[in-house]
Every structure is written in structure tokens, then in C-alpha cells.
Amino acid sequence: MASAPSAPPTPSSLKRIVAASLIGTTIEWYDFFLYGSAAALVFNKLFFPESDPLVGTLLSFLTYAVGFAARPIGALVFGHFGDRLGRKRLLVLSLLMMGGATFAIGLLPTHATIGSAAPLLLTALRLVQGFALGGEWGGAVLLVSEHGDAERRGFWASWPQTGAPAGQLLATGVLAFLTAVLSDAAFGSWGWRIPFLLSGVLVIVGLWIRLSVDESPVFRQALERAEARKAEAAAVTERMPLVAVVRHHWRDVLVAMGARMAENISYYVITAFILVYATVSAGVSKQTALNAVLIASAVHFAVIPAWGALSDRIGRRPVYLIGAAGVALWMFPFFALIDTGGFGALLLAVTVGLVLHGAMYAPQAAFFSEMFATRMRYSGASIGAQFASVAAGAPAPLIATALLDAYGTSVPIALYVIAASLLTVVALAAAKETRHRDLADIAPSGGTTGPAGPRKDRSDQKDRRDQENRTTEDAPTI
């Protein structure tokens, strides 16, 4: 039984909500990407000095990947409580955890000071970062998706997605500035700490903005309905959000995971591994590589809302497919351009790669939000996105570096990204178009009662009422 729709937010309130989500995701991604860039540039020397340069980089990227391993755990925990308590509270907690861990990395003694304890502490703080980010993404995109309407949901929900390139832009920009004004010795001694300590200031700003927004109206209505039905039923045993997601949305979780493969792997190859490949194989200076990623990230930031708006017009799946196919076709030209050693060619390679990535990343927020019922949406979207990151983004720089070390050529790395793109195309082929769905009316067994019509064959009225009753039983309450 669908509830009456809530009044749409005013333009000013919606912009405030978008700003709160964007500033939070920007800070969180800044913290996360800062580690990745530092892993490629200095952590191999500061925390793994006894290894040869390429092995040290592999070990450094291994601690980088550990952050991804914690993201599914964060998705489970934050999704569980986000579906029970609301999106806003958990977003504040994720921001505090991420900022605190990043600030602590800036204070961390190196291997030269405390020996093997240094990489262990670094790994522990990376785990906290991954845990926090696993809970951040789902809540941030849902807060915007659930405030907006279906007509422009793709556009508005794509703005929190720009937090990734904005965070990359900020992290790379700070590092590029410091490497430009400091000598290599000064940067390796103390300059690398400055970007991590800067996170403390950014978190204060993010909290001030994030605390000013209201909870999602769609979630509040779903919570009120669940509480009312629970009172009527008197003694209903309710399932955890994870159990409800696995029971009702297992197919959607698999689609989301498959859709993430090309998006996640290509992004970390283009932005993180490129700092290794360009400097080791193409002979480009680290400053030149950072500058290319910096400029390309600015373009990436600008095109994401445009791709999101296009998904409102032609659908989430077509735009996503453009990105997946485009990245696959671009991989061989991508490495060929970098191999020339010229800055213009390097910039073109990274920029086109990120523009094509944006076609996948922009509609992703609305696409995943529209797959899941309200009281299990935080869990479902987070689980689908973050579990995929363990197999996709987490090992991507590590696998790419290992392939480069083993074969000495970019061909196997390009084939690796192309294989991921094929997986994404298969997942999208199995998915349904979602752009017209009413988020308040998505049924947990895969159907919808809203204007977009059912996602599966229509059942009779009795089956639908039974389904709605099961929805209330399965949805967790406070």
C-alpha cells in the first residue's frame, strides 16, 4: 500500500541537501584518494624501505587494498543502522571516522622511527578509512535520491558522485602543489604529512554543513508506516535489513556488483596505477603525472552531472552502457598515448578515460537507489556497491602493477580492464530500466506498485496485499 507522496523539497532546500552530501563525499574521497596517491609516491619508501622500489610499491598498494576489504563491513554495519535509524546520523559518524583516521596517518611515525610497527599502524588506520567509506556512499546518494523526484533524480543524485573526482582533484592538487614547492627530501621527510593533517579542518566544515539537513522524507514515511503496522500486528518478528535484502533483492545486488566491475577497476587503473605506469614505464616525472590527473579530474567533475541529466532523458542503462563499452575500447589507445611520454598525450589519455568512466559513475547513484525498497535501500545499495569493490577497485592497482612487473607491457593490463567491461555489459543486460520508478513504491520482492509498473509479471490483488504484509514483517524498525 503506497503512502501519500510527500511535498517535494523547495529548490533551496534540495540544493542544501545536495551540498551537504557533496561536501561530505568530497572530504571522504579526498581522504581515501590521498592515501592512494601517497602509496604510489612515498609510502613505499617510508613504510617499506627494505624492499626494492617496485616490490615496495606492491606492498604499499597492498595496504591500499586493505581499505577496500573493510568497505563491505562498513556497508553492512552502516546499512543496517541507516535503514533503522535514518541516513543522516550515520553520515555524520562516517565523516568523523574517516577524518579522524586520515588525521592520525599524518601523525604516524615511519619505519625509520618505530620499525615494523609503522606499516601495521598504517594498515589499521587504512581499515578505519575503508570501514567509514563503506558506509558513506550509500547514505550520501540516498539522502539526495530520496529527497528529489523521479524526473531529475539522475541529475541531482549524480552530484554526490562528483565527490569522487572532487576529492581526487583536491588530493592530487595538494600533492602536486607540495611536490612543486618542496624538494624531494623535504616532501619525503615531512611535507607528505600536510595533506593528511589538512583533513581535520575539512571535517569540521563538512560536519557543520551535514548537520544542517533534514532526514529523508521517504525514509520517515516508511518508518512511520512500519511502526503503525507493527503496532497493529502487536508481535511481529522482524528480520535484519541484510536478511531482507538477500531474500527480496538478491538479483538486484548481483546486478549492482556486476555494474561496478568496469566502473571501479577502470577508475583505479586510470587514476592510481597511472602514477606508477607513467613514471616507471613511460619515463614521465611524478609531477607531470600528477598534473595530468589533476586536470582530468576537473573535467571528470564537470561531466558527471551532464551524464546524470542524460540518464534522466534516455535511461540509466543506456548511459551506463556507453561508459562500459567506451572504457573497453579506449584501453589500448590509453596506454599507447602514455607510452609516447608527452604531457599532451598523457592528459588526453586520462581525460577521455575519466569522461567515459563518468558515464558509468553518474547514473550509478540513481540506478542503485531505484533498485531497492526504502527500508532496505541503504543496506542493498551499499552491499551491492561495496562488496564489488573488494573484487574490483581493491586489487586493481595491485593486479595492474603485478602484470606490469611480470610482462613488462601494458597489453595484459588493457585486457584486464576489457574483461571487467564485459562483465558490466552482461550485468546491465540482465538489469531493468529504473528511471521512472517512485522510490516510495518499490516492492521488496522486485516489483513496484508505482507508475513505472511492475518489474516482474503482475500478480493478483491478494498476492500483492500478502507481499505488502511480508514487507512490513521483513523491514526492521527501531
Side-chain angles (χ1 to χ4, degrees):
M1 184 184 302
S3 64
S6 61
T10 63
S12 60
S13 66
L14 183 56
K15 289 176 182 177
R16 186 173 67 251
I17 292 158
V18 170
S21 293
L22 174 57
I23 190 67
T25 54
T26 297
I27 294 169
E28 298 240 8
W29 282 114
Y30 165 80
D31 292 345
F32 204 75
F33 287 142
L34 181 61
Y35 188 104
S37 297
L41 296 174
V42 294
F43 281 177
N44 58 333
K45 303 179 186 70
L46 297 174
F47 293 93
F48 307 98
E50 296 175 358
S51 305
D52 67 65
L54 197 55
V55 173
T57 300
L58 282 168
L59 292 173
S60 185
F61 274 141
L62 186 59
T63 63
Y64 174 73
V66 163
F68 287 83
R71 282 165 68 171
I73 302 173
L76 291 173
V77 174
F78 278 82
H80 173 84
F81 289 103
D83 282 329
R84 289 191 171 210
L85 305 176
R87 296 27 172 148
K88 178 179 174 179
R89 299 182 192 180
L90 275 299
L91 287 174
V92 170
L93 179 60
S94 70
L95 188 60
L96 285 171
M97 291 183 67
M98 176 67 87
T102 305
F103 188 82
I105 290 175
L107 301 174
L108 194 63
T110 64
H111 187 279
T113 304
I114 60 173
S116 60
L120 292 177
L121 290 173
L122 181 68
T123 302
L125 291 172
R126 182 59 174 173
L127 283 169
V128 176
Q129 281 191 323
F131 182 84
L133 189 63
E136 164 71 21
W137 181 85
V141 299
L142 293 188
L143 196 64
V144 176
S145 295
E146 293 179 341
H147 272 89
D149 58 80
E151 296 255 336
R152 302 192 70 196
R153 185 180 298 128
F155 171 73
W156 289 116
S158 69
W159 278 100
Q161 299 290 77
T162 64
Q168 178 77 63
L169 185 65
L170 189 59
T172 307
V174 171
L175 285 172
F177 173 77
L178 289 173
T179 56
V181 300
L182 297 176
S183 66
D184 287 345
F187 182 79
S189 176
W190 55 269
W192 68 270
R193 298 181 182 275
I194 295 174
F196 290 92
L197 298 176
L198 180 62
S199 177
V201 178
L202 298 176
V203 167
I204 295 173
V205 176
L207 283 175
W208 177 68
I209 297 175
R210 186 159 275 186
L211 287 169
S212 68
V213 302
D214 297 325
E215 183 55 79
S216 153
V218 173
F219 174 81
R220 287 201 308 266
Q221 290 175 5
L223 181 60
E224 290 167 2
R225 290 197 304 271
E227 289 290 347
R229 290 187 177 183
K230 183 182 177 183
E232 292 174 3
V236 175
T237 302
E238 297 182 323
R239 292 181 173 87
M240 294 173 59
L242 173 61
V243 176
V245 167
V246 171
R247 178 181 177 186
H248 295 298
H249 283 292
W250 61 269
R251 183 176 178 274
D252 296 313
V253 169
L254 292 177
V255 167
M257 290 177 67
R260 283 274 281 172
M261 288 297 161
E263 178 268 306
N264 219 217
I265 289 174
S266 66
Y267 188 78
Y268 289 104
V269 168
I270 293 169
T271 59
F273 171 70
I274 190 64
L275 297 178
V276 175
Y277 185 82
T279 55
V280 172
S281 294
V284 176
S285 70
K286 65 181 179 182
Q287 181 66 50
T288 300
L290 282 170
N291 288 341
V293 174
L294 182 67
I295 297 170
S297 294
V299 177
H300 193 210
F301 178 91
V303 300
I304 285 178
W307 285 121
L310 183 62
S311 78
D312 286 327
R313 290 180 173 271
I314 67 174
R316 318 298 184 214
R317 291 172 69 243
V319 174
Y320 215 116
L321 281 167
I322 291 171
V327 162
L329 294 172
W330 184 243
M331 274 302 102
F332 282 111
F334 173 79
F335 285 109
L337 285 168
I338 297 172
D339 287 338
T340 65
F343 176 73
L346 173 64
L347 178 60
L348 178 63
V350 179
T351 301
V352 173
L354 287 182
V355 168
L356 293 170
H357 171 270
M360 294 182 282
Y361 200 54
Q364 190 178 96
F367 188 34
F368 289 7
S369 298
E370 292 158 348
M371 290 181 182
F372 300 95
T374 301
R375 295 303 309 284
M376 55 192 82
R377 184 171 293 133
Y378 202 145
S379 295
S382 297
I383 290 168
Q386 303 307 333
F387 271 71
S389 70
V390 175
L398 190 65
I399 290 173
T401 304
L403 290 172
L404 179 63
D405 187 33
Y407 296 98
T409 174
S410 63
V411 172
I413 304 168
L415 293 174
Y416 167 53
V417 178
I418 291 170
S421 297
L422 291 175
L423 284 175
T424 293
V425 170
V426 170
L428 293 172
K432 304 291 184 181
E433 183 53 59
T434 63
R435 70 183 171 115
H436 290 306
R437 287 180 183 164
D438 184 341
L439 293 184
D441 272 352
I442 299 173
S445 62
T448 93
T449 58
R455 291 161 55 190
K456 293 185 178 181
D457 295 337
R458 291 185 181 271
S459 59
D460 59 31
Q461 292 297 321
K462 180 179 182 300
D463 288 341
R464 186 174 295 167
R465 286 195 298 270
D466 290 343
Q467 182 192 70
E468 290 170 353
N469 290 336
R470 288 197 301 272
T471 302
T472 305
E473 294 172 6
D474 289 333
T477 60
I478 298 173

